[in-house]
Amino acid sequence: MAEPTLAEKKAQLEADVQALGVTPVWVRAREREGSGGGQPRGLGETSRPLVLPWSTLYPLLLRAGEVITMGEDAFRRAFGGYQIVMPEERAVAHRHSFSAVRFAVLGDGLGYTTSNGEQMFMEPGDFMVQPSMCWHDHGNLGQEPVVWMDFLDIDLLLPLETGMSEGWPNDDIQPVTHKEGFYGDLYGNVRPARLIGAQLNSIADSPPMTYKWRDTLPMLERMAADGEHDPYDGVLLEYANPVTGGPTLPTMRARIQLLAPGEETLAHRHTGFVRYNCVQGEGVTTLDLEDTTELEWGLRDIFRVPSWRWHRHKNLSKTEPAILFSIGYSPMAETLGLYREEAAPAGA
Ligand SMILES: [Fe+2]
Ligand SMILES: [Fe+2]
């Protein structure tokens, strides 16, 4: 049998990804172009519960690394929530009205994203925020594939007809003008006096930020030891916006939570889907109070809890904590007064 052509390999990859119930980012971009742009994806995908095991995703990501050329075929070689950047690849700089967040899951620390002049290197567990209109380009200086979780507020902005983007002059990368940690220092607990009381008049007023895993993990552990506890989510921390102290960005919030060994939370429900990825451990998230659906998850698996579905989390290990990263659009709903949250009836 003849070796499949590159076009056939691409088509087969796209079919295999879509069989998981998700659409590759580059296919969505192609569809938007075909429809004249501005078409929201709607609730087709996000209204369904979903589990994407790492064992299924990673081989597909590696295949994408081989057959999908960055820049030519895809701006983001991403699907199911993860993006892969192969060794020695780099993307050109650009910016857009969509804000992006990234949570690194795989790599040797030599993957980076440069944000408004700061080259932010990413180790697994690092979380990065690139607010609206922040110049960014990324690459991988290492010899191992780099994978991070990607999330943009594109589905919120397109229906508002506010999507726009531009490239760096001459399709180049941007110069590195700040040392690593610059924005974190600028917006740290001791900051330039001129920034005290700064306002967030637009998302673009928010700085790009890196929240390092080497800070986040000890914080989770200290909070657990200090008895910090939410009955629905265990130890629940949020990546605060450095300007407002409020949600990560006005459109989306990112959280990290720890479930103690053997912990099973109470059930609640809230508006807006939440997408999780498992950073450590294994567990099960149970949807609904009757005729339940169980979403089982382990290391680097992605799962999604749809809007307004009862859910509870359980750490399946009796000895190790489980850690989940999550992301959703609830700040936008809160701004409009549309966010609702409800506890399940006692004993449910
Ligand atoms: Fe981008
Ligand atoms: Fe929840």
Side-chain angles (χ1 to χ4, degrees):
M1 213 166 75
E3 167 80 0
T5 64
L6 184 59
E8 286 166 345
K9 285 182 185 172
K10 286 180 192 175
Q12 188 58 51
L13 172 69
E14 288 168 5
D16 290 349
V17 171
Q18 280 175 306
L20 301 175
V22 295
T23 309
V25 163
W26 65 89
V27 173
R28 241 186 278 151
R30 202 163 64 207
E31 286 170 356
R32 274 200 300 275
E33 275 166 29
S35 68
Q39 287 302 308
R41 186 154 43 112
L43 284 176
E45 282 189 6
T46 57
S47 64
R48 293 190 299 272
L50 179 77
V51 181
L52 297 172
W54 176 252
S55 58
T56 304
L57 280 177
Y58 191 47
L60 288 169
L61 286 164
L62 287 173
R63 271 170 62 193
E66 276 174 29
V67 302
I68 303 295
T69 309
M70 215 157 71
E72 200 172 299
D73 295 321
F75 222 71
R76 285 189 295 136
R77 195 196 283 121
F79 49 82
Y82 282 145
Q83 168 161 195
I84 188 165
V85 182
M86 301 303 279
E88 296 178 18
E89 273 185 335
R90 66 182 197 184
V92 295
H94 64 284
R95 65 177 184 171
H96 33 67
S97 55
F98 316 115
S99 300
V101 301
R102 312 181 196 283
F103 185 84
V105 299
L106 191 74
D108 52 9
L110 291 172
Y112 67 87
T113 182
T114 304
S115 309
N116 278 353
E118 179 186 334
Q119 192 173 29
M120 300 169 164
F121 282 92
M122 49 178 98
E123 290 164 313
D126 289 354
F127 174 63
M128 283 134 292
V129 178
Q130 288 166 329
S132 183
M133 300 316 283
C134 167
W135 287 107
H136 56 285
D137 56 77
H138 54 252
N140 180 0
L141 302 179
Q143 295 305 310
E144 302 293 326
V146 167
V147 177
W148 64 74
M149 188 287 304
D150 242 355
F151 195 85
L152 283 81
D153 53 14
I154 188 165
D155 289 342
L156 293 182
L157 269 59
L158 286 183
L160 301 174
E161 298 181 309
T162 54
M164 49 182 68
S165 57
E166 62 182 312
W168 189 268
N170 306 318
D171 277 348
D172 206 349
I173 57 170
Q174 63 183 308
V176 175
T177 52
H178 299 301
K179 67 174 175 50
E180 204 179 356
F182 169 76
Y183 288 105
D185 289 348
L186 203 59
Y187 287 86
N189 287 332
V190 181
R191 62 180 71 177
R194 66 183 167 84
L195 292 176
I196 298 293
Q199 301 279 318
L200 207 59
N201 295 314
S202 77
I203 306 182
D205 293 336
S206 198
M209 287 291 286
T210 306
Y211 303 76
K212 299 298 284 183
W213 186 241
R214 62 172 177 259
D215 300 324
T216 306
L217 178 61
M219 183 63 75
L220 274 171
E221 291 169 345
R222 283 205 299 276
M223 291 283 174
D226 285 345
E228 173 68 35
H229 190 256
D230 178 286
Y232 310 103
D233 285 295
V235 181
L236 181 64
L237 306 184
E238 183 157 335
Y239 297 91
N241 184 287
V243 176
T244 64
T248 317
L249 286 172
T251 47
M252 46 193 178
R253 66 169 18 112
R255 290 175 161 175
I256 190 96
Q257 69 192 88
L258 180 148
L259 302 170
E263 177 167 5
E264 184 168 7
T265 69
L266 297 179
H268 73 165
R269 63 180 176 179
H270 35 74
T271 46
F273 76 88
V274 178
R275 198 179 75 199
Y276 296 84
N277 58 291
C278 172
V279 185
Q280 184 180 305
E282 54 180 339
V284 60
T285 296
T286 304
L287 300 186
D288 307 326
L289 302 178
E290 295 169 7
D291 297 327
T292 55
T293 299
E294 303 222 313
L295 310 179
E296 286 186 42
W297 40 263
L299 183 63
R300 300 194 192 99
D301 295 349
I302 283 187
F303 65 99
R304 184 174 61 217
V305 173
S307 182
W308 207 240
R309 295 278 290 268
W310 298 110
H311 56 280
R312 68 173 81 219
H313 308 292
K314 183 177 184 180
N315 178 354
L316 288 176
S317 169
K318 295 273 183 275
T319 54
E320 297 298 320
I323 299 178
L324 296 172
F325 173 90
S326 68
I327 182 91
Y329 292 136
S330 56
M332 183 82 154
E334 285 172 355
T335 302
L336 299 170
L338 295 170
Y339 182 74
R340 285 188 67 190
E341 190 169 331
E342 196 171 272

